[in-house]
Amino acid sequence: MPAEFDFLKEACQITNADWAALLDRETGRWQVRAAHQLGRPLRDSLLEQLSRPAVDAWLCGAVNAGRPRSRPAPEIQLLEKVTLFVYPISNTNSVIVVAAKKMEPRFQAVWKLTASMLARAESGKNVSLLQSELLLPNLQSEAPYDQTRILGRILRMFTARIKAQGGWLAIRRADILDVLAQWNSPQSAGAAMPIDDDPLWRRVNKTLKPLLVDASQADWERVPREATRGGSKAWACFPLIIGQRMIGAVTLWRQKALTEEQTLALDNLSAQVAPVIEIIITFAAMAEHLRRLAVLNDFALTVSSAQNLDQIARRVFALLARVFGTERIALHLLSVDGSILREYHNREGKVAPLNTEWKGHPLAPLLKSGRTLRLADAPAAGFSPTQADSVSVLFMPLRYRGHTIGALTLESARQDAFSIYDEHLLGVITSHLAGLVEYSRLREEAEGRARNLGLIHEVVQEVVGLTDKNEIAQNTADLLTQYFSYELATVLLLDEAQNPAIRAFGGRSASNAERNFGKSEKLVLDGVLGRTLRTGRSALVNDASTETDVHPASGSAAGSLMCVALRDGDQTLGVVSVERRDKNTFTQNDLLDLESLTGILASVVASADQYQRLQESIRQLRAAQEELKSRIEAQRSAESRLIQAAKLAAVGEMASGVAHELNNPLTTVTGFAELILEELPAGAASRADLEMILREARRARDVVRRLLDFARQTESTRTRTNLNEVLEDIIELTRHLMKTSGVLFTQELALDLPWVSIDRNQMKQVFLNLFHNALQAMPTGGELKLQTRKAIRDGRAWVIASVRDSGQGIPLEHRERVFEPFFTTKSDKGGTGLGLSVTYGIVTDHGGRIEVESQPGDGSVFTVWLPIDG
């Protein structure tokens, strides 16, 4: 605290006060000029409470009355347990505030004496000295001539002279009075009052003389309402005059009417301060002029260095808000093709772009005319501001090389807020801004085209090598939504009948689009998609809600969409459609980019068509090749069977002759051997030899009998029967042999097996031979499985019976000869090589076939195919 204010410290020590502060009211607020024992937290809490209207009015009342006041302060943080005592300093706008738990009368007298000493110190200043002080700049401040502060001090000179309850000082701007300082009248702060709208202001402006009104006069009803509250009975207005021109006015009100002496004193005071006020206004205007000239330099330094339109808009808005004192700013930019209006608005401190359709926009006629518009009262002039409560509007077009490319709009809630000087300054700013916007827009569009073409190249790289049209369509839809952030991408490819046979959807709405297309295909194709398919012409819709034939494939709320046909020459191959939920998001450049992609995509689809036709031709040739191969194999098989049958016939003829020649001698040998054995004693030495002769002769006779059976062309007796019944007989005949051989037997006989026409005895012989061969292939035991089933082969129905063993298997070199007569691998075990030959003959004679599958060490499978009786 400066030494000149040591009296606060001394008075606190004498009166045992907690703290004390000297407060001044300037620029409509109370400020601490000096203090003792007032810490930072306590000071902040005190100032916060003093800014409240009720507390401010209480302090102003003490100043106006010139008498001390006191009140408890329970609502003030950190002051809950003290009482505030206020001691006004006469003829000033200052008070001493003292805080104490209790203040005795003798201590209150100390503070009254302190206030009176300060009042006497201030009373020595005359008006001339005050004028010099007011005009002396504060070089330590950012604003050396603080208009608000100086006008507040001048107003306090008026209110202190007559102890007014309240008042304000207004400066004239054109035909409007702007309130720039107020005393105990916060409602009037910043008010703009048209002179011609009020008869009181008109009278003062016309007469250039003070106007006094009291409650008994009819004009009292025209007095502003804030002046009639608080028991006020008198109101006065003193014009501030330079020559014959009113440059402003001071309005005061209080409970008592002004005396002639007071009126004369205030009139003289207004004449004395008017030159000071004019100088202050002039200085302020010059400072404003210099500050606005500096705007262009700021524009060059800050706005011109912006990298894109969004950054330009944010910096321009910040600059204009600082220069023109309004946050209600809008920038409107036309797209290159003139179809979209890109608008930037300052909403709650955020600058965000919004694309709207140019056609039908409220500003379209004004932009088309290219006229500047400055309105003091826009609603009265029939103009609709962008914000509902705006009154003043300044509209400035952006022109570049003779063409209107957009506009800049300033709005204000105050009437006539923009002057001709503001219009000229904004014109200079917009002239620079237009070139910068056009350059940035062209650069953004070039960069966007380059970026889009790069993304198109990426899409093409992903699909150019594909040959499946379904894969081409789906990959294209997915990549479009991934790279270009579309809500939905739809790809439809037509078949030969011009129907959308291939449908692919990509993006967040893909599943909805697929369902909607399935339910409402006709509706969708009747819209812009179908129109593009039928005409081959591209379509760009920036507001689907305004188009009657637009049925988005997504089925969701209408937004923006583009449709481009896939064309190969004069032929339409399909269509590509992209959608976004927001309106006005596509430009002609976007459509050109999509057309570039579809041009390449059409070539890819056409190539895929040719490839698929080639693949179909190759498939048909391969099918024909396979059919020819199967026919050749069938012919070879038939020839093989014919050769085998010829072999069997030749062997049969030979065997018939050999059997007849051998049968008679063998009958003689066995007959005489049996007779000799009957007569020979049991212990004869030659008996064993004769038994061996008889045994071998009988074996030879069995071989001869088999040859006869093989060669004899007997008529078979065939009946329709169930093959399972024949096989069950075979199982019973061989069950004991299988058990003694250590073979595990399993069977899977089909229950619904169709009947076949067979000779039961011959078929028993076939499967007895197969069972015996299987058992002989498993000398140490194993597994034997019998299975029957129905099958379709070569267009015919068959009954199949397979015999599978786990024996030694058949070597590959023997597999082709197993059905030849006299071929055997069991010669050491007495095999004749006729069993499978007889089996083969019986099966083929029934119109069937027998097949063998075998791998050495893995056993063998013999499968008998018998045709089902028609």
Side-chain angles (χ1 to χ4, degrees), residues 706 765-766 769 773 818 822-823 832-840:
R706 290 184 182 180
Q765 184 177 355
V766 167
N769 287 339
N773 285 345
V818 293
F822 304 111
F823 176 79
T832 63
L834 293 175
L836 287 179
S837 297
V838 172
T839 298
Y840 183 88

Side-chain angles (χ1 to χ4, degrees), residues 403-438:
H403 298 285
T404 301
I405 64 170
L408 193 62
T409 304
L410 302 181
E411 297 180 2
S412 174
R414 294 188 300 115
Q415 190 174 20
D416 199 15
F418 305 110
S419 64
I420 187 66
Y421 183 80
D422 295 328
E423 181 180 333
H424 293 163
L425 178 61
L426 191 62
V428 176
I429 292 175
T430 53
S431 65
H432 289 79
L433 181 61
L436 182 61
V437 164
E438 185 67 11

Side-chain angles (χ1 to χ4, degrees), residues 728-737 764 768 772:
E728 288 173 353
D729 291 343
I730 300 301
I731 294 170
E732 291 300 323
L733 290 173
T734 58
R735 188 180 300 279
H736 178 73
L737 182 60
K764 285 182 180 180
L768 275 173
H772 285 152

Side-chain angles (χ1 to χ4, degrees), residues 476-746:
T476 301
D478 291 338
L479 291 171
L480 282 175
T481 54
Q482 176 184 345
Y483 289 157
F484 294 93
S485 301
Y486 297 137
E487 186 80 17
L488 174 69
T490 303
V491 179
L492 303 180
L493 299 182
L494 303 178
D495 57 13
E496 295 180 356
Q498 296 298 296
N499 295 320
I502 296 177
R503 309 162 185 175
F505 305 93
R508 292 189 295 271
S509 301
S511 57
N512 292 338
E514 191 168 0
R515 287 194 300 270
N516 182 62
F517 199 90
K519 295 178 181 178
S520 310
E521 177 179 348
K522 185 178 185 303
L523 179 63
V524 174
L525 293 179
D526 284 344
V528 67
L529 274 174
R531 188 176 71 224
T532 302
L533 281 172
R534 291 188 298 272
T535 64
R537 292 195 297 268
S538 302
L540 189 155
V541 180
N542 265 317
D543 188 356
S545 63
T546 62
E547 303 289 336
T548 57
D549 63 343
V550 173
H551 307 291
S554 62
S556 58
S560 307
L561 61 89
M562 294 189 295
C563 288
V564 178
L566 293 170
R567 296 183 62 82
D568 183 23
D570 294 333
Q571 182 184 6
T572 299
L573 305 178
V575 67
V576 175
S577 172
V578 295
E579 297 180 20
R580 282 198 175 119
R581 190 178 300 275
D582 296 331
K583 300 177 182 179
N584 305 302
T585 58
F586 295 127
T587 65
Q588 288 295 328
N589 286 336
D590 296 325
L591 185 61
L592 290 175
D593 293 339
L594 188 59
E595 289 176 341
S596 301
L597 172 62
T598 53
I600 301 173
L601 189 61
S603 299
V604 175
V605 173
S607 299
D609 274 336
Q610 295 175 0
Y611 176 81
Q612 290 181 359
R613 286 195 292 269
L614 178 61
Q615 288 296 107
E616 180 63 21
S617 299
I618 293 174
R619 188 190 65 78
Q620 293 176 356
L621 289 174
R622 286 180 177 172
Q625 181 184 13
E626 291 295 328
E627 183 179 358
L628 179 60
K629 184 178 179 181
S630 63
R631 289 183 179 181
I632 292 174
E633 290 295 330
Q635 184 176 355
R636 286 178 180 174
S637 178
E639 290 175 354
S640 176
R641 288 196 294 272
L642 288 174
I643 292 172
Q644 186 71 16
K647 286 182 180 181
L648 290 176
V651 170
E653 292 177 2
M654 180 186 67
S656 178
V658 172
H660 282 292
E661 292 297 329
L662 292 178
N663 193 41
N664 291 333
L666 288 174
T667 301
T668 303
V669 171
T670 55
F672 280 102
E674 289 175 350
L675 292 174
I676 294 171
L677 284 173
E678 288 179 358
E679 297 176 357
L680 193 66
S686 59
R687 187 175 182 85
D689 295 333
L690 284 172
E691 289 177 349
M692 183 181 66
I693 291 172
L694 179 60
R695 187 168 58 254
E696 293 300 322
R698 288 176 177 173
R699 191 171 69 83
R701 188 178 62 187
D702 290 339
V703 171
V704 171
R705 181 177 56 78
R706 290 184 182 180
L707 283 174
L708 289 174
D709 291 340
F710 176 77
R712 188 180 297 122
Q713 299 295 325
T714 60
E715 293 185 3
S716 62
T717 304
R718 299 182 184 180
T719 59
R720 294 181 67 253
T721 187
N722 189 335
L723 183 61
N724 287 343
E725 296 178 359
V726 176
L727 294 175
E728 288 173 353
D729 291 343
I730 300 301
I731 294 170
E732 291 300 323
L733 290 173
T734 58
R735 188 180 300 279
H736 178 73
L737 182 60
M738 288 188 289
K739 184 176 181 180
T740 56
S741 300
V743 173
L744 176 62
F745 175 73
T746 58

